Amino acid sequence: MKFKLLPLSAAVAFGIYPALGLAQGSNEQNTVQEIMVTGKYSVAQTLDTATGLGLTIQETPQSVSILTQERMKDQNIDTILEVVNNTVGVSSAEVDNVRNDFYSRGFQIDSYQIDGVPTSWSLGGDSGETVADTVIYERIEVVRGATGLLTGVGDPSASINLVRKHADSTELSGYVDVSAGRWDQKSITTDISSGLNESGSLRGRFVGKHSSGDSHENYYEDDSNVLYGVLEADLSADTLLRVGASYQHNDPKGATWGILPTFYSDGTIADWDVSTNTAMPWTRWETTNTNYFASINHTFNNGWQLIANYNRLNYETDNRLLYVSGTVDRETGGGLSAQRYRSDGKSTQDSFDLQLKGDFNLFNQTHEFVLGALHSDQSTDTFNQTPADQNPPPPEYDSVPVENFFESSGIQEPEWDPERVHNQDVSTKQRGYYAATRLSATDKLKFILGGRVATWLRDGSQWGTDYDYGNRNEFIPYAGALYDITDTHRVYASYTEIFDSQNSRDADGELLDPLQGKSFEVGLKSRFLNDRLHTTIAVFDIEQDNLAQVDTSFEGTPEQTTAYYPAQGTESIGFELEVVGQPIDGWNITAGYSQYTAEDAQGNDVNTAQPTKQFKLFTTYQFLDSLPGLTIGGGVNWQDETYSVGTNPIGQPGRLTQEAYSLVNLMARYEFNDALSVQFNAANVTDEKYYSQISYFSSYRYGKPRDYTLSLNYRFD
């Protein structure tokens, strides 16, 4: 069923006309003025995530959402996964305790940046990137739509940019925070900034956090440490040097690999307790992420900037896991089998990024220009050990029966063969050269034109399969236009092409052809109440060929557990609405609604396990007049029905469905004085039981039940 335009037109009209009624009276100026943002959930800083031109949100011709440090603190958002779950227009699928997939506009997100520089996560995201702590980031930016100008070779979903905290304070300042929560969760955090010399030309910042505790899942407990340090030096009035490093270590015990079995052997769907998992006390999934970085920013006399960045990312993992699969006998609890697995691995990435940007005058107008290059090499190695009690050893992995899953799997940790087998040796290379310009045709009309020549190559071997694929020198064009209707309303349009190599394989073991397509977006960005409130209305159309879809008829083999087929003529059409700001003193709000339909050329829905409609709201209010120390807030995340399809154990076609649901959260904070405050957060306060993963039909995962945290914060400056 094609997307209906009537609700879309009504939504746009509803957004525009009340907005025009709220707009401030026009003044003599004809152009949209630079904004002075008020409120805790908006930023006035320029962004490099979409175009590299250093534009504000209002100047970027795409939908942009930002989670500020204040928003993350208010809502007690600690991980990248929680950021995604609370950002307008994006969603997640929890694969297990460590791995998560992110989606936007119907497609998976594969583009990530750190301080605007593209980066790659470890293969499969199995080194804890998606559950990394957010404490080291000042804000997290999500640009929806294709961002092939800066990242990879064109991803139609979104790009996530992690903006690190900077050492920008010349005076001693910071905070210490201690917290405790359900399941014996505990943490202590410190964030300290200071000038390091008398003039303040040398500054430093240190962030540290330790967390530990149990979980709602049986056996699972985690212990994590985060360290971050950065030095900034003004080498001159025009040159800034920044160097630093971060370290994140997670050591979860009772970790799960994979998800719960969906079916009993009679074909009925199982309904497990949310505490049920397929782990054992001996399972582990230890991850260590280390990042060393350096950048230098020089401003020339004419105002142009030369920026050079270097990043070295090391991802390490060491695990002992249990993968349970099959169907459960309703009476005996038997019928399942388990694979015992041990591996250790390391992924290392070196990235160099160079960028030159500035403005120039032509035809009595000022225009902007950026020229950049990226060079990135990543190597990944994984070593496996098999159980020593295999007799004879299977060719790929062992399989032992689960006697009674109702009493846990009961599988004990085996003695591991000391021989380490090098089962993954993969190298990934990225090269990118891009240029973009923003041309001011008039004071009201601006065009953004650019392109990227991208190379993405991967070769090596992985569990007996050789890899050698990718593409060289693919050109990805980008075009955008912005027009100021009034001094508070700006319309925009953008276009870019999509080209992305894939490592998904079909039922014959052959790699799918590259993903190809194009992305369009038009929208309206408005400002109200003297810049207190910002709104965005966006309409998008994404067309793709060769989109990888799970082949649910594929039975799986030891060599290949999952197969995909390339969906042709896939189109995603939808719209998004977002409101962010501080309408009145003390009241901060962020809210948004997104909706789309994604179908292939035959009209079949694609990626149905992801929500097509979402509403997300979070707001706080501080009683400035009556009780200024008190802030209360809360929010709700709603999504519509999702499902996956397949054949049950008795050969009947069916659906695994997650009905529409809402997650409600609350917060309250009391500030005793400028230094000391206490805060309470509660998530999923209605204790909703829901699936957080149903993509594979034959297995699923439950989301987190009701949770709460009490924290005490001390600030100094």
Side-chain angles (χ1 to χ4, degrees):
M1 182 179 68
K2 287 294 183 181
F3 185 83
K4 302 298 184 182
L5 290 180
L6 181 58
L8 174 59
S9 303
V12 172
F14 179 79
I16 293 176
Y17 292 119
L20 293 176
L22 286 170
Q24 304 300 300
S26 61
N27 55 33
E28 295 179 357
Q29 297 174 325
N30 293 322
T31 62
V32 175
Q33 299 301 302
E34 295 304 317
I35 59 175
M36 183 62 68
V37 173
T38 60
K40 300 194 300 179
Y41 302 158
S42 299
V43 298
Q45 291 95 329
T46 58
L47 317 175
D48 283 329
T49 316
T51 66
L53 287 165
L55 306 178
T56 66
I57 293 177
Q58 294 283 316
E59 295 169 331
T60 302
Q62 289 182 246
S63 297
V64 183
S65 295
I66 294 180
L67 265 73
T68 63
Q69 183 181 195
E70 292 85 353
R71 163 78 188 280
M72 291 187 283
K73 172 178 169 52
D74 285 351
Q75 202 172 344
N76 194 35
I77 292 174
D78 288 327
T79 65
I80 305 298
L81 172 62
E82 292 173 341
V83 167
V84 167
N85 288 338
N86 288 282
T87 300
V88 174
V90 291
S91 61
S92 70
E94 297 184 20
V95 180
D96 40 46
N97 295 127
V98 171
R99 298 174 298 170
N100 299 274
D101 294 329
F102 300 151
Y103 295 83
S104 179
R105 298 182 174 180
F107 307 112
Q108 189 167 344
I109 299 174
D110 292 317
S111 297
Y112 303 95
Q113 302 173 57
I114 300 177
D115 283 345
V117 179
T119 185
S120 296
W121 288 354
S122 61
L123 296 179
D126 61 356
S127 293
E129 300 93 332
T130 61
V131 292
D133 203 293
T134 60
V135 70
I136 70 173
Y137 301 117
E138 187 70 27
R139 65 181 186 273
I140 297 177
E141 305 165 354
V142 179
V143 176
R144 291 182 294 279
T147 56
L149 182 60
L150 291 184
T151 58
V153 287
D155 188 330
S157 52
S159 181
I160 298 175
N161 183 29
L162 312 174
V163 181
R164 300 186 188 98
K165 291 179 176 178
H166 292 169
D168 46 16
S169 176
T170 59
E171 303 294 333
L172 178 64
S173 62
Y175 70 85
V176 176
D177 187 283
V178 293
S179 68
R182 194 177 182 186
W183 306 299
D184 200 30
Q185 292 284 330
K186 300 179 291 290
S187 73
I188 180 169
T189 307
T190 186
D191 183 345
I192 302 172
S193 301
S194 180
L196 300 178
N197 61 4
E198 187 174 350
S199 66
S201 62
L202 180 63
R203 301 170 299 278
R205 188 166 189 170
F206 171 78
V207 178
K209 182 176 181 179
H210 172 74
S211 303
S212 64
D214 298 330
S215 166
H216 66 282
E217 295 180 278
N218 294 334
Y219 312 126
Y220 185 82
E221 57 184 78
D222 196 6
D223 188 279
S224 66
N225 293 287
V226 181
L227 298 172
Y228 171 72
V230 59
L231 292 173
E232 295 186 7
D234 299 326
L235 302 183
S236 70
D238 301 315
T239 306
L240 172 67
L241 174 67
R242 179 180 294 121
V243 295
S246 64
Y247 168 89
Q248 298 209 22
H249 176 256
N250 284 62
D251 188 16
K253 302 173 178 62
T256 301
W257 178 29
I259 33 191
L260 293 168
T262 300
F263 294 101
Y264 290 117
S265 55
D266 61 8
T268 57
I269 295 177
D271 183 17
W272 308 106
D273 187 90
V274 293
S275 63
T276 306
N277 66 8
T278 56
M280 289 299 295
W282 56 267
T283 56
R284 302 283 191 276
W285 200 326
E286 183 179 7
T287 62
T288 304
N289 301 338
T290 308
N291 177 206
Y292 305 97
F293 61 92
S295 68
I296 189 165
N297 185 321
H298 178 73
T299 303
F300 297 97
N301 292 334
N302 63 357
W304 279 59
Q305 289 182 301
L306 180 65
I307 305 168
N309 296 286
Y310 168 71
N311 264 285
R312 181 176 180 85
L313 291 165
N314 293 326
Y315 299 122
E316 298 179 41
T317 180
D318 188 351
N319 52 55
R320 288 168 282 167
L321 298 170
L322 193 68
Y323 187 88
V324 175
S325 60
T327 58
V328 184
D329 186 284
R330 183 185 288 274
E331 302 300 326
T332 67
L336 298 175
S337 61
Q339 173 193 351
R340 299 166 297 175
Y341 176 86
R342 181 170 186 176
S343 74
D344 63 275
K346 182 176 182 178
S347 175
T348 300
Q349 178 184 351
D350 288 289
S351 298
F352 302 88
D353 180 81
L354 190 65
Q355 189 178 85
L356 176 68
K357 62 184 175 182
D359 54 37
F360 61 95
N361 294 317
L362 186 66
F363 303 123
N364 296 320
Q365 293 285 344
T366 300
H367 318 275
E368 292 83 27
F369 179 79
V370 62
L371 181 69
L374 169 72
H375 178 109
S376 176
D377 290 329
Q378 183 184 41
S379 63
T380 301
D381 295 275
T382 300
F383 298 85
N384 295 91
Q385 295 171 257
T386 58
D389 61 3
Q390 295 182 151
N391 187 25
E396 294 295 331
Y397 60 84
D398 78 320
S399 180
V400 295
V402 176
E403 298 297 335
N404 186 349
F405 186 66
F406 299 145
E407 299 176 0
S408 84
S409 67
I411 306 298
Q412 300 300 310
E413 182 179 10
E415 291 292 330
W416 300 99
D417 192 316
E419 181 182 359
R420 297 165 68 242
V421 180
H422 197 180
N423 273 334
Q424 187 180 50
D425 182 5
V426 178
S427 175
T428 305
K429 294 179 172 60
Q430 288 191 67
R431 308 289 184 266
Y433 307 94
Y434 61 91
T437 184
R438 184 174 72 157
L439 302 173
S440 299
T442 68
D443 289 343
K444 290 186 174 183
L445 178 62
K446 294 177 172 59
F447 295 98
I448 297 176
L449 302 173
R452 176 185 178 94
V453 177
T455 294
W456 192 95
L457 303 171
R458 176 169 288 169
D459 60 66
S461 62
Q462 183 167 280
W463 288 282
T465 301
D466 291 333
Y467 282 94
D468 188 2
Y469 68 101
N471 299 88
R472 298 178 182 271
N473 300 323
E474 291 291 337
F475 178 70
I476 311 297
Y478 183 96
L482 303 102
Y483 180 74
D484 300 341
I485 302 173
T486 70
D487 62 341
T488 56
H489 301 286
R490 172 177 283 159
V491 293
Y492 70 87
S494 62
Y495 166 84
T496 190
E497 292 185 0
I498 301 160
F499 190 97
D500 202 357
S501 302
Q502 302 188 90
N503 63 356
S504 299
R505 295 180 179 269
D506 62 20
D508 296 324
E510 299 296 324
L511 288 169
L512 302 186
D513 289 335
L515 188 72
Q516 299 187 64
K518 50 193 174 182
S519 175
F520 306 88
E521 180 174 332
V522 296
L524 171 69
K525 296 190 177 186
S526 302
R527 303 178 292 121
F528 312 113
L529 307 175
N530 195 27
D531 283 342
R532 284 181 173 271
L533 200 66
H534 296 172
T535 65
T536 300
I537 302 171
V539 181
F540 58 86
D541 185 352
I542 301 170
E543 301 173 10
Q544 293 189 91
D545 288 324
N546 303 322
L547 177 68
Q549 295 289 284
V550 176
D551 184 353
T552 55
S553 64
F554 183 71
E555 295 183 358
T557 65
E559 293 78 16
Q560 183 179 348
T561 58
T562 307
Y564 299 84
Y565 69 89
Q568 304 300 320
T570 300
E571 185 173 19
S572 173
I573 303 177
F575 69 94
E576 296 164 345
L577 311 172
E578 186 169 16
V579 179
V580 181
Q582 184 176 240
I584 61 174
D585 289 345
W587 179 26
N588 287 275
I589 184 172
T590 173
Y593 177 80
S594 59
Q595 177 176 326
Y596 69 87
T597 58
E599 301 174 346
D600 62 18
Q602 287 72 46
N604 301 312
D605 293 334
V606 299
N607 287 345
T608 58
Q610 296 306 307
T612 60
K613 300 175 184 177
Q614 294 185 88
F615 173 75
K616 296 181 180 181
L617 164 71
F618 184 75
T619 183
T620 60
Y621 182 75
Q622 183 179 5
F623 294 83
L624 294 175
D625 296 327
S626 57
L627 194 59
L630 179 63
T631 299
I632 62 171
V636 59
N637 293 343
W638 172 88
Q639 68 174 55
D640 68 338
E641 178 183 289
T642 58
Y643 66 93
S644 59
V645 296
T647 303
N648 70 16
I650 59 175
Q652 297 173 332
R655 283 190 178 191
L656 175 61
T657 301
Q658 169 60 62
E659 302 291 344
Y661 67 91
S662 298
L663 300 180
V664 179
N665 60 84
L666 299 172
M667 68 83 64
R669 178 172 57 247
Y670 188 78
E671 299 175 2
F672 299 99
N673 50 47
D674 291 341
L676 186 64
S677 65
V678 62
Q679 180 171 316
F680 176 78
N681 288 87
N684 190 7
V685 295
T686 61
D687 208 22
E688 181 79 22
K689 186 178 182 180
Y690 65 99
Y691 300 138
S692 60
Q693 164 67 281
I694 57 169
S695 300
Y696 304 113
F697 182 68
S698 60
S699 54
Y700 61 80
R701 180 172 172 81
Y702 287 119
K704 184 184 290 187
R706 183 187 296 117
D707 190 14
Y708 49 81
T709 304
L710 183 67
S711 60
L712 185 68
N713 184 279
Y714 176 76
R715 291 187 172 273
F716 53 90
D717 51 39

